[in-house]
Amino acid sequence: MEYLTVLRNYATAAPESLSSSLLYKHSPKNIIIFDAFPKSVFHFLILPRVQEPKLNTATLHSLRTLLGAGDREQAKEVVTAMAEEAKALKEEIQEEMMQRFGFKWDVWTGFHGAPSMHHMHLHVISADLISEKMKHKKHYNSFHPKLGFFLHIDDVLSWFDAVPSFYSNLIKDFKPSKYEPILKESLRCFHCNEEMKNMPTLKAHLQEEWNKLERRGKEIAKRKRKHEQTRASSASKKDVDEKRSDQEESSSKKLKPSPSPPSDAPSPEK
């Protein structure tokens, strides 16, 4: 199906040819796009750009094909570059959170164990999962941070520092059949681990959890601002007091009379 290869088309196209509603930013190694069907308030994809001959569409088909291509250092370089892009993007997302919502919350970064679309892509997604596009169990379980389908970027990076035997076995075991059953597991809230009977119940529960997170986040941000204002006020008062003290001391020195000469001191010559 054509939609399966759309990410590949983006990764091979010139970034300037992509619409501004799709492309967030790009670099020589990656492009960052808005997810067309965001599953959270913020949801981006980082795609490695095709760079022939080594980084071709076959090698970059998925994380699994990159790891299995046989060049461990090249794979590490690709994933590291994506992780660095994600780190900078996370900071930008959290700045936007502060501007729009008055507080910031966590951002997850990771790959899907069995991705549904062709071409390797890294998800950078805010930790709320309250988007209206979150409609099916497989959607939710694919992003649940503890089920194992969502492969956190730090865990993936750690694979490259493991012993060769671990890396080799990992590649052999990295199959869709290992991850696909996770999508059918029961629905559990990632906040409290409570099991939900269906998606509407889960979505209502996640919204409640988000509302609590928002209230708590705004209250913490409010207390922090108040504390910073108090500190700034105290520091300002201290500066004023120190300046006034210096001025008084200087004035005192100017007004203090010179000591009189001793009575037996010789008179000055006329």
Side-chain angles (χ1 to χ4, degrees):
M1 298 180 185
E2 186 177 348
Y3 79 91
L4 293 177
T5 60
V6 67
L7 297 184
R8 179 188 299 165
N9 296 339
Y10 297 153
T12 55
E16 54 271 19
S17 70
L18 302 177
S19 68
S20 58
S21 62
L22 170 70
L23 180 68
Y24 178 69
K25 62 168 39 174
H26 67 89
S27 66
K29 293 184 178 181
N30 301 294
I31 66 169
I32 303 176
I33 63 173
F34 299 97
D35 193 291
F37 302 95
K39 302 306 188 294
S40 278
V41 176
F42 298 91
H43 191 177
F44 296 83
L45 301 179
I46 299 178
L47 285 62
R49 298 173 66 178
V50 173
Q51 300 178 55
E52 300 285 358
K54 282 192 172 184
L55 290 177
N56 51 44
T57 56
T59 300
L60 296 177
H61 178 79
S62 65
L63 176 61
R64 183 174 64 88
T65 57
L66 176 69
L67 296 176
D71 192 331
R72 182 171 175 173
E73 287 305 312
Q74 177 182 258
K76 182 178 181 180
E77 182 180 336
V78 170
V79 176
T80 299
M82 296 175 78
E84 290 173 351
E85 297 268 18
K87 183 178 179 181
L89 177 58
K90 178 178 178 178
E91 293 177 357
E92 293 173 13
I93 291 173
Q94 292 188 319
E95 287 178 5
E96 182 71 13
M97 288 173 171
M98 290 298 298
Q99 292 178 10
R100 285 174 54 184
F101 298 93
F103 77 105
K104 61 184 178 181
W105 62 101
D106 199 8
V107 176
W108 299 327
T109 302
F111 299 96
H112 280 163
S116 59
M117 299 183 73
H118 300 168
H119 198 78
M120 182 179 177
H121 53 282
L122 179 67
H123 294 270
V124 182
I125 182 170
S126 57
D128 50 83
L129 304 182
I130 59 170
S131 169
E132 61 180 15
K133 303 296 184 182
M134 178 68 74
K135 297 180 178 180
H136 305 292
K137 176 189 282 191
K138 64 180 181 180
H139 292 161
Y140 179 74
N141 283 345
S142 70
F143 288 103
H144 193 295
K146 299 175 183 177
L147 290 183
F149 192 92
F150 189 81
L151 308 175
H152 295 273
I153 188 65
D154 289 341
D155 293 333
V156 174
L157 287 171
S158 71
W159 296 349
F160 298 106
D161 297 324
V163 296
S165 59
F166 170 86
Y167 189 79
S168 299
N169 291 331
L170 175 96
I171 295 172
K172 292 177 183 177
D173 196 38
F174 203 139
K175 301 175 182 178
S177 58
K178 175 183 177 181
Y179 296 97
E180 288 170 346
I182 297 173
L183 300 178
K184 299 178 181 180
E185 290 190 13
S186 59
L187 294 168
R188 289 188 175 278
C189 172
F190 71 87
H191 294 281
C192 64
N193 202 40
E194 182 179 350
E195 186 171 348
M196 302 290 154
K197 61 181 180 180
N198 53 39
M199 281 300 294
T201 303
L202 172 66
K203 286 175 68 68
H205 178 80
L206 290 177
Q207 186 63 53
E208 291 174 0
E209 291 286 357
W210 158 253
N211 293 341
K212 288 190 292 186
L213 177 67
E214 184 178 28
R215 287 194 298 269
R216 186 166 60 249
K218 286 185 175 181
E219 181 59 33
I220 292 173
K222 181 180 179 181
R223 290 201 300 266
K224 183 178 180 181
R225 286 195 299 270
K226 186 175 180 180
H227 177 67
E228 290 174 346
Q229 289 171 354
T230 301
R231 288 184 60 187
S233 177
S234 298
S236 178
K237 185 177 183 301
K238 182 179 179 181
D239 290 342
V240 170
D241 290 343
E242 289 179 349
K243 186 176 181 180
R244 181 182 295 119
S245 177
D246 291 342
Q247 290 174 341
E248 290 175 350
E249 183 178 351
S250 175
S251 177
S252 174
K253 288 180 178 178
K254 291 178 180 178
L255 296 175
K256 188 176 181 179
S258 300
S260 301
S263 58
D264 57 349
S267 301
E269 295 180 2
K270 296 183 179 179

